Amino acid sequence: MKTDNLEYVEGLKKMLREWLNRGYVPYFATFTFYEIGGSEQHVAKIMKNEIERFFHLVTQRLIVRNATSPSHAWKSGLFIAAPDWPVRKLYRQTTRLIKPNDGEHFHALWLTPPVWLQRTNMPLDDYLSENQARFVRRPMSEAHIKPIVEDPEY
């Protein structure tokens, strides 16, 4: 099993290097949410659906008009998202913040195609920070996008 994981990681690193060499621009995204009621499975499903909706809206509106067409799929870039939870700290702050959904949120690696800058004349993070209301709705509270500028192979 350990060998399979190492092979998977090496294959993923190779694929990411190829995308970067083709001019795709890497971003790190964090998606946070308001409180979502229900079971853990229900919460995860709602979060996943909202992130997919967000990605679809951005790619449809700004990158490619028909992302479902196989000939245009590459224009959407690469988007890999995964859930994340806060790690327990040894020393807690005296004023404890209550986090929605037990602190569950999502992180994503987003490689945008070179055509992005040709269509918007601004980086993805700048565009989305100016247009949060256009793409973010409840139960998502925020989509925070930052460019990866240091050691993108890490």
Side-chain angles (χ1 to χ4, degrees), residues 27-67:
Y27 290 91
F28 182 77
T30 301
F31 299 95
T32 56
F33 296 84
Y34 294 107
E35 183 64 35
I36 302 169
S39 67
E40 287 182 28
Q41 293 84 4
H42 175 74
V43 170
K45 181 180 178 183
I46 296 294
M47 289 180 176
K48 178 181 173 282
N49 288 346
E50 281 302 306
I51 291 168
E52 287 175 352
R53 184 196 65 80
F54 176 90
F55 177 73
H56 179 74
L57 281 175
V58 172
T59 55
Q60 284 291 106
R61 180 167 179 83
L62 302 167
I63 296 176
V64 61
R65 297 286 180 220
N66 188 8

Side-chain angles (χ1 to χ4, degrees), residues 4-149:
D4 291 342
N5 287 341
L6 291 175
E7 289 175 8
Y8 176 77
V9 169
E10 288 304 315
L12 185 59
K13 284 169 53 177
K14 180 182 177 191
M15 181 185 72
L16 292 175
R17 270 189 239 106
E18 290 172 359
W19 283 70
L20 292 171
N21 289 337
R22 284 190 263 152
Y24 283 73
V25 182
Y27 290 91
F28 182 77
T30 301
F31 299 95
T32 56
F33 296 84
Y34 294 107
E35 183 64 35
I36 302 169
S39 67
E40 287 182 28
Q41 293 84 4
H42 175 74
V43 170
K45 181 180 178 183
I46 296 294
M47 289 180 176
K48 178 181 173 282
N49 288 346
E50 281 302 306
I51 291 168
E52 287 175 352
R53 184 196 65 80
F54 176 90
F55 177 73
H56 179 74
L57 281 175
V58 172
T59 55
Q60 284 291 106
R61 180 167 179 83
L62 302 167
I63 296 176
V64 61
R65 297 286 180 220
N66 188 8
T68 57
S69 167
S71 63
H72 292 284
W74 64 272
K75 292 180 184 174
S76 297
L78 178 68
F79 187 84
I80 302 171
D84 190 22
W85 292 265
V87 177
R88 294 189 187 266
K89 306 287 192 266
L90 183 59
Y91 302 103
R92 294 205 175 258
Q93 296 176 347
T94 55
T95 55
R96 186 173 174 225
L97 298 174
I98 298 172
K99 298 189 180 209
N101 309 306
D102 295 325
E104 183 178 2
H105 55 284
F106 270 72
H107 289 300
L109 171 66
W110 194 347
L111 300 180
T112 60
V115 71
W116 169 267
L117 286 173
Q118 294 169 2
R119 288 191 67 154
T120 63
N121 292 322
M122 62 191 318
L124 177 65
D125 55 316
D126 290 344
Y127 181 84
L128 290 176
S129 68
E130 290 180 13
N131 294 281
Q132 281 278 314
R134 184 177 285 176
F135 302 106
V136 174
R137 69 170 189 194
R138 280 188 173 267
M140 187 182 288
S141 61
E142 183 181 24
H144 184 71
I145 315 294
K146 291 176 63 174
I148 299 173
V149 293

